[in-house]
Amino acid sequence: MGNSSKIGIFGAGWVGLVTGACFAELGHQVVIRDIVPEKISMLQRGEVPFHEQDVPELLRRNAERLTFTLDVNDIADCTFLFVCVDTPPTYSGDADLSRVWTVVDELPELSGRPILVMKSTVPVGTGEKVRAGLDQRGLSHVGYVSNPEFLAEGHAVRDFMAPDRVVVGAFQAKDVEAVAGLYDGIEGPVVRADVNSAEMIKLAANAFLMTRISFINEIANVCEATDADVVKVAEGVGLDHRLGSHFLRAGIGYGGSCFPKDSLALKQLASNSGYHFQLLSAVIEVNELQKRRMIGKLKRHLGSLRGKRVALLGLAFKAGTDDMREAPSIVLASRLLAEGAEVRAWDPVANGSSLPEGVDVVGSVLEAVQGADAAVIVTEWPELEGLASAETLAAMANPLIIDGRNLLDPEETRRAGFGYEGIGRPLLAADAVPQTV
Ligand SMILES: NC(=O)c1ccc[n+]([C@@H]2O[C@H](COP(=O)([O-])OP(=O)(O)OC[C@H]3O[C@@H](n4cnc5c(N)ncnc54)[C@H](O)[C@@H]3O)[C@@H](O)[C@H]2O)c1
């Protein structure tokens, strides 16, 4: 374990809390500051404001090294000040940096040579602007480092403690080394870069992952038209060592708090600089269409959806989290309601509060499928792996499963008495026959 430092963190969201808990685990003293009083009170009581495995345990284990506060002055004696605030999209698609600027404006009197470390995802060029802003505020003695975060919700602690890489970009070499030193005790290569390149690494990595998702989703759609099975195709493609198997799982389209906003922000960043990022524009469009394809699948089986009861199974944008930001379930629910369907929804942890009005959120899978004309698997929760059961069969008015995550085995599901359609998987003639309307 390296030397212990005092670290201040702005933002007690996914990134701020995971960063704080993991640095405390590494032996650092950590002060986490947020502006939402309820969040801070919960954390002070030992409760975690969102669902993320391992975080509660880490907070408990390192309680004596962690404090939570609303008062910005409590971070005044920290050597490192991590910015982990949200950077949502504006109407134009650009990243909204207002919270980042608030942090810069709010910084208290700081002595010594503390370093402001940007973990929030920001457009390329932000570091240069923040550097100028710090200088203008008379904070030239404060260093600036870009240290983007790559954790994925659902296994965020694992990603932080065993990263594929740590990226550190700075204007001064000594700042790179100081921030890299905080990660002593963590295995993983450190990529040392200039600030602009560090910012671009984050945006490019996300864009590449989204490209893979949209690519395999388009292959899935072609598989549907040609009677091929995308699961087999992805297996065969992914074994090529030049390609690898990650992010080659066809499905309902990506969502979440990062991919949709980061892709828009990179597209806007390019177009503001005079470049039309064609490939990324297509990736975004393919993803939007992918979410809507589920409606076409339902109609192929049920005809008009007016008055039909549809169970939405899974609301979070992916398994392992209660985060519903930009979740495909929201788009699906809105489209189903617009088609006149009755929607019952279930999720083991997400509370469904961001669903459109009119969706009935229920407490169990069985309640959701009761009397349903179709059940749609929206999130790949392990709890849904046993969906094709006799209980479900008896409960549904029409035993049809539309599997937006290719979670179930098509043959087993059909053998259990269900109509089944996944993403990019061959249909049986029986599956494709629409009901009379
Ligand atoms: N969630 C992820 O999986 C993930 C992964 C990598 C990077 N990121 C990026 O990290 C950043 C944070 O993401 P998140 O998911 O943790 O966001 P979040 O919305 O969960 O948390 C942000 C927190 O910052 C707080 N905040 C806002 N202004 C503040 C201020 N002035 N002082 C202190 N706290 C303030 C908010 O109240 C909120 O609690 C974003 O830029 C995001 O793109 C997120």
Side-chain angles (χ1 to χ4, degrees), residues 249-293:
R249 191 165 172 173
I252 199 169
Y254 60 75
S257 65
C258 289
F259 282 177
K261 86 168 170 66
D262 292 348
S263 53
L264 272 184
L266 179 54
K267 184 183 154 184
Q268 274 314 119
L269 176 73
S271 79
N272 294 345
S273 321
Y275 183 74
H276 176 49
F277 199 150
Q278 253 177 296
L279 181 59
L280 189 56
S281 303
V283 165
I284 295 167
E285 193 183 342
V286 167
N287 195 61
E288 283 313 307
L289 294 173
Q290 194 68 12
K291 295 183 218 167
R292 286 163 174 74
R293 278 178 73 84

Side-chain angles (χ1 to χ4, degrees), residues 10-16 33-36 39 84-87 99 102-103 106 119-121 149 151 153 202 257-258 261 325:
F10 287 90
W14 255 274
V15 170
R33 189 261 178 156
D34 205 286
I35 49 171
V36 179
K39 258 189 194 179
C84 303
V85 297
D86 37 331
T87 48
R99 291 149 183 85
T102 304
V103 169
E106 287 177 330
K119 246 197 194 306
S120 294
T121 305
E149 183 49 57
L151 64 77
E153 291 174 22
K202 171 66 189 174
S257 65
C258 289
K261 86 168 170 66
R325 288 179 282 186

Side-chain angles (χ1 to χ4, degrees), residues 139-188:
L139 295 170
S140 306
H141 64 293
V142 176
Y144 182 89
V145 163
S146 164
N147 175 216
E149 183 49 57
F150 298 91
L151 64 77
E153 291 174 22
H155 38 79
V157 169
R158 186 198 73 191
D159 290 348
F160 193 99
M161 297 305 270
D164 292 335
R165 77 308 211 179
V166 173
V167 173
V168 189
F171 297 110
Q172 296 194 25
K174 63 178 177 184
D175 293 340
V176 170
E177 296 318 319
V179 171
L182 290 177
Y183 291 86
D184 278 355
I186 282 183
E187 291 292 318

Side-chain angles (χ1 to χ4, degrees), residues 99-111:
R99 291 149 183 85
V100 169
W101 286 113
T102 304
V103 169
V104 174
D105 292 341
E106 287 177 330
L107 286 175
E109 200 115 316
L110 298 164
S111 55

Side-chain angles (χ1 to χ4, degrees), residues 212-332:
R212 288 178 69 103
I213 296 172
S214 280
F215 177 80
I216 200 66
N217 282 340
E218 288 228 278
I219 292 288
N221 299 342
V222 181
C223 282
E224 285 178 9
T226 55
D227 248 350
D229 185 342
V230 75
V231 173
K232 269 290 145 216
V233 173
E235 182 191 338
V237 170
L239 283 169
D240 187 323
H241 75 277
R242 296 166 302 178
L243 300 171
S245 60
H246 292 292
F247 283 73
L248 279 187
R249 191 165 172 173
I252 199 169
Y254 60 75
S257 65
C258 289
F259 282 177
K261 86 168 170 66
D262 292 348
S263 53
L264 272 184
L266 179 54
K267 184 183 154 184
Q268 274 314 119
L269 176 73
S271 79
N272 294 345
S273 321
Y275 183 74
H276 176 49
F277 199 150
Q278 253 177 296
L279 181 59
L280 189 56
S281 303
V283 165
I284 295 167
E285 193 183 342
V286 167
N287 195 61
E288 283 313 307
L289 294 173
Q290 194 68 12
K291 295 183 218 167
R292 286 163 174 74
R293 278 178 73 84
M294 302 305 284
I295 300 294
K297 285 176 187 285
L298 282 165
K299 280 185 172 171
R300 187 163 51 239
H301 294 271
L302 301 177
S304 165
L305 299 181
R306 180 154 293 281
K308 299 278 161 48
R309 183 178 286 183
V310 178
L312 281 192
L313 303 178
L315 299 172
F317 83 91
K318 65 172 186 177
T321 178
D322 57 353
D323 199 342
M324 278 189 65
R325 288 179 282 186
E326 299 289 330
S329 62
I330 302 173
V331 173
L332 249 179

